[in-house]
Amino acid sequence: MKGLLIYLKQDRKECVLGPLFKLLEALFELFVPLVMTSIIDVGIATGSRRYILERCGLLVLLAVVGLVCSITAQYFAARAATGFSARLRSALFAHLQGLSYREIDTLGSATMITRMTSDVNQLQNGVNLALRLLLRSPFVVFGAMVMAFTIDVPGATVFAVAIPVLLAVVFAIILVTIPMYRKVQNRLDGVTAATRENLTGVRVLRAFRKEQEEIAEFSRRNRLLNQLQLRVGRISNLLNPVTYVILNLAVVALLRTGALRVNSGALTQGQVVALYNYMSQILVELIKFANLIITMTKAVACGNRIQSVFAMQSSQTSGSRHPEETLRGQVEFRNAGITYGVAGAEALSGVSFLARSGQTVGIIGGTGSGKSTLVNLIPRFYDATQGQVLVDGVDVRELNLEELRRRIAVVPQKAVLFRGTIRSNLLWGREDATEEELQAALTVAQAMEIVQGKDQGLDAEVQQGGGNLSGGQRQRLTIARALIRQPEILILDDSASALDYATDARLRAAIGALPNPPTTFVVSQRAASIRHADWILVLDDGRVVGQGTHETLLEQCPVYQEIYHSQFRKEAHSHVS
């Protein structure tokens, strides 16, 4: 948590002025009971209306000055808190962007969203309240006690007993609730994850009629979160009633002591009222302080969760070497393999092959055979845990990461488009692309008809995730976005699965006809999509069980034969070959 305070450095002035003006407000507030004492003991006792009006005017002046100080303190505290949260959120987002897929998989999307939003908001509220009350409340409490001792020592002993008891209650509740609030945030992660999964997979849920099961699961998670929140809420809510009980008992003791001393002539009525006012101030401030502690407890728990993300460093480091200009897109695997996280079995092992510049490599295999894993090793989305992956003759771990990924374009399995226009989505590929280059990429990706079918053309609206486009349209636009980069290596990770065979064939032919065709990796479960590749890898259970041309594999590889013949009848009626 302490490490996050560096994001307050730019607001040093606000962090000083906010508490300072709050202390000034508290100082003026401590003078009020003394003025009330003089009104009672002098003004009312002597019947001097003028004296009473003068002291009432002084009370109004103290109130106005206190209000100005309070508003000023609120302004500086709010400015510091919002600046702190903005910088923290930006730094957290930048840190998450720097993590490798391995760490992102470990964290999970739900917890990252919660920590970017709810946790940062809790910290913002904590900083805001801390700047306003963390010094003010103790200052008023101990200041009121000191002022009470200046009025009457025997009467002030009630303060000396009540305040330590109150502090003991407050800190006991803090120690109990801090770990409970941490558990609340963790369970909130679970609810967020369930919500995100259901919204993402709503079509699948409806297709398999799993709505009621998911409703039941969400209700279970929500109920557990609710139960824990109620439990910690009940404990936290003990602060106010316990505080009231202790302070009211102290007030009773104070009035009894004060009455006896007034009766004996040791105290005046005004001084007893002043002692009572100081006790009331302590009551109000301790209630504020109790609420501050609850908020700070939540903020500390959230801050520790955010700090744990900052403590997580990427397992990948960028190299300093640059690819060889002479090879341009050559990719080689040397006995490469990977094991995900703490998984016992290898997801991929013993992969060796060479893809020369401009060649097309087809990768085929059953679901879960490691096809996507293999191509993810090329741009270093994951690092190989054994063997080597070389691009242009250099191990990818030694290459400058930015330079490596600048030369590679990846079209993932799930076509991802962002809210905006067709043009803005295409320019993600290269921001300075010209109109002609956009048109050329759309033509190669067989996506020109999509643009021509829109009234606004390239400026047609795209909803979040491409919700207003069909699956095939989204895939073609993501392929166009990749081609705009003019990459040396193009990875199509099952990115044409929604295209019909004829469109798929035209797409592959257009990519091959480019003036400087990239080294292309085509991942597919359709034999028709990879049968014309220069080299084909057949994967089964994370291992290469065959590689070669279509004709060679059809003669020698049983796995490829099984895949091909299971689709042959369908392909016989297509116009791919």
Side-chain angles (χ1 to χ4, degrees):
M1 175 65 188
K2 293 181 181 178
L4 303 182
L5 296 180
I6 60 172
Y7 300 105
L8 272 174
K9 281 187 176 180
Q10 294 185 29
D11 293 309
R12 290 191 186 93
K13 180 181 71 175
E14 287 80 0
C15 291
V16 172
L17 292 177
L20 178 62
F21 277 97
K22 268 297 178 182
L23 292 179
L24 287 174
E25 179 204 357
L27 187 62
F28 291 124
E29 190 175 322
L30 290 174
F31 287 127
V32 171
L34 297 180
V35 177
M36 290 297 299
T37 299
S38 64
I39 291 175
I40 295 171
D41 291 344
V42 179
I44 295 176
T46 61
S48 174
R49 181 174 294 181
R50 179 179 178 181
Y51 187 87
I52 294 172
L53 291 176
E54 286 177 354
R55 288 297 178 268
C56 288
L58 180 58
L59 287 177
V60 172
L61 179 62
L62 288 173
V64 171
V65 174
L67 177 63
V68 172
C69 291
S70 177
I71 292 173
T72 306
Q74 296 273 24
Y75 169 76
F76 286 122
R79 184 166 178 173
T82 52
F84 164 77
S85 65
R87 286 187 291 274
L88 175 59
R89 193 177 284 111
S90 296
L92 181 59
F93 184 78
H95 183 75
L96 290 172
Q97 290 294 315
L99 296 179
S100 70
Y101 276 28
R102 188 180 296 273
E103 286 76 41
I104 291 174
D105 291 343
T106 302
L107 282 172
S109 300
T111 187
M112 287 190 287
I113 293 170
T114 303
R115 296 182 200 199
M116 285 283 296
T117 53
S118 175
D119 287 358
V120 174
N121 289 339
Q122 291 281 9
L123 265 178
Q124 178 179 333
N125 293 335
V127 169
N128 195 345
L129 285 178
L131 291 176
R132 288 159 43 199
L133 299 177
L134 192 59
L135 292 180
R136 183 191 190 281
S137 292
F139 179 80
V140 171
V141 170
F142 290 103
M145 186 170 67
V146 170
M147 297 297 286
F149 272 99
T150 63
I151 295 173
D152 183 57
V153 174
T157 55
V158 176
F159 291 75
V161 173
I163 291 176
V165 172
L166 287 167
L167 292 177
V169 170
V170 168
F171 284 106
I173 291 177
I174 291 172
L175 293 176
V176 173
T177 54
I178 282 180
M180 296 182 73
Y181 277 120
R182 191 178 296 116
K183 290 180 181 178
V184 166
Q185 291 301 119
N186 289 335
R187 289 192 180 178
L188 180 60
D189 283 347
V191 173
T192 305
T195 305
R196 184 176 181 276
E197 288 169 0
N198 277 274
L199 290 175
T200 304
V202 63
R203 294 183 181 179
V204 178
L205 290 175
R206 290 177 179 175
F208 288 93
R209 301 177 64 188
K210 293 288 185 180
E211 297 97 328
Q212 295 305 316
E213 292 181 21
E214 289 300 321
I215 290 172
E217 174 62 17
F218 181 84
S219 299
R220 185 188 67 82
R221 295 192 184 194
N222 199 35
R223 185 174 64 256
L224 292 174
L225 173 62
N226 183 49
Q227 289 172 351
L228 185 57
Q229 284 180 319
L230 287 174
R231 196 181 312 145
V232 70
R234 290 190 188 102
I235 297 173
S236 297
N237 289 335
L238 286 174
L239 277 173
N240 283 356
V242 172
T243 303
Y244 272 109
V245 168
I246 295 173
L247 282 171
N248 282 324
L249 290 174
V251 168
V252 171
L254 177 65
L255 291 177
R256 181 182 179 279
T257 303
L260 293 175
R261 291 182 64 75
V262 168
N263 193 43
S264 66
L267 278 180
T268 66
Q269 293 177 345
Q271 289 175 323
V272 173
V273 171
L275 290 173
Y276 175 79
N277 284 338
Y278 281 128
M279 184 64 76
S280 298
Q281 286 183 353
I282 290 174
L283 171 63
V284 171
E285 290 305 320
L286 282 176
I287 292 172
K288 290 180 181 177
F289 193 67
N291 292 326
L292 170 65
I293 291 301
I294 293 172
T295 303
M296 290 296 295
T297 301
K298 294 178 182 178
V300 169
C302 294
N304 289 336
R305 283 160 48 83
I306 293 173
Q307 186 64 49
S308 68
V309 177
F310 281 116
M312 182 178 286
Q313 298 299 317
S314 176
S315 58
Q316 293 182 341
T317 55
S318 177
S320 57
R321 296 184 61 183
H322 292 268
E324 299 291 337
E325 290 292 336
T326 54
L327 299 177
R328 293 191 59 80
Q330 178 172 294
V331 177
E332 183 179 0
F333 277 61
R334 294 179 182 172
N335 198 34
I338 181 175
T339 302
Y340 286 116
V342 293
E346 294 177 324
L348 197 71
S349 61
V351 179
S352 298
F353 70 91
L354 174 65
R356 301 189 183 279
S357 302
Q359 284 189 334
T360 298
V361 177
I363 303 172
I364 194 169
T367 302
S369 59
K371 303 186 296 298
S372 296
T373 299
L374 187 150
V375 293
N376 282 337
L377 297 178
I378 301 172
R380 286 193 72 191
F381 291 158
Y382 296 93
D383 276 338
T385 53
Q386 68 175 37
Q388 288 181 297
V389 179
L390 297 90
V391 170
D392 294 347
V394 183
D395 192 314
V396 291
R397 287 169 289 201
E398 299 176 11
L399 292 171
N400 178 274
L401 195 57
E402 184 177 350
E403 175 69 15
L404 171 68
R405 291 177 178 171
R406 186 184 65 79
R407 295 177 172 224
I408 301 173
V410 181
V411 185
Q413 286 179 312
K414 183 179 179 181
V416 178
L417 295 174
F418 298 93
R419 186 182 183 86
T421 63
I422 294 177
R423 184 190 304 276
S424 67
N425 272 277
L426 293 179
L427 291 177
W428 275 65
R430 199 173 84 249
E431 292 183 358
D432 59 349
T434 64
E435 191 78 14
E436 292 73 18
E437 288 172 332
L438 295 178
Q439 301 282 348
L442 288 167
T443 300
V444 173
Q446 310 302 304
M448 183 59 75
E449 64 182 55
I450 303 173
V451 177
Q452 293 173 344
K454 305 287 184 181
D455 293 336
Q456 297 86 3
L458 283 170
D459 296 313
E461 181 186 4
V462 175
Q463 295 179 359
Q464 182 178 348
N468 58 334
L469 299 170
S470 69
Q473 290 174 329
R474 288 196 296 269
Q475 286 189 340
R476 283 180 282 170
L477 287 176
T478 53
I479 293 171
R481 180 175 62 195
L483 290 171
I484 286 171
R485 294 179 68 102
Q486 298 178 353
E488 296 173 14
I489 300 171
L490 176 64
I491 298 173
L492 304 177
D493 187 2
D494 206 12
S495 54
S497 58
L499 304 184
D500 59 80
Y501 288 103
T503 304
D504 186 15
R506 289 197 299 270
L507 169 66
R508 288 184 280 106
I511 293 174
L514 289 171
N516 295 303
T519 305
T520 305
F521 291 84
V522 180
V523 176
S524 180
Q525 296 188 35
R526 301 195 311 199
S529 298
I530 54 92
R531 65 188 297 180
H532 295 294
D534 299 302
W535 198 252
I536 300 173
L537 301 176
V538 185
L539 297 181
D540 185 41
D541 196 24
R543 294 183 176 276
V544 177
V545 295
Q547 56 179 306
T549 62
H550 168 70
E551 291 76 13
T552 303
L553 292 172
L554 203 54
E555 293 178 3
Q556 301 176 359
C557 182
V559 175
Y560 187 76
Q561 292 170 1
E562 182 180 352
I563 296 172
Y564 180 79
H565 290 304
S566 67
Q567 302 171 6
F568 180 78
R569 187 175 301 277
K570 182 186 295 185
E571 292 174 9
H573 298 288
S574 69
H575 300 285
V576 178
S577 57

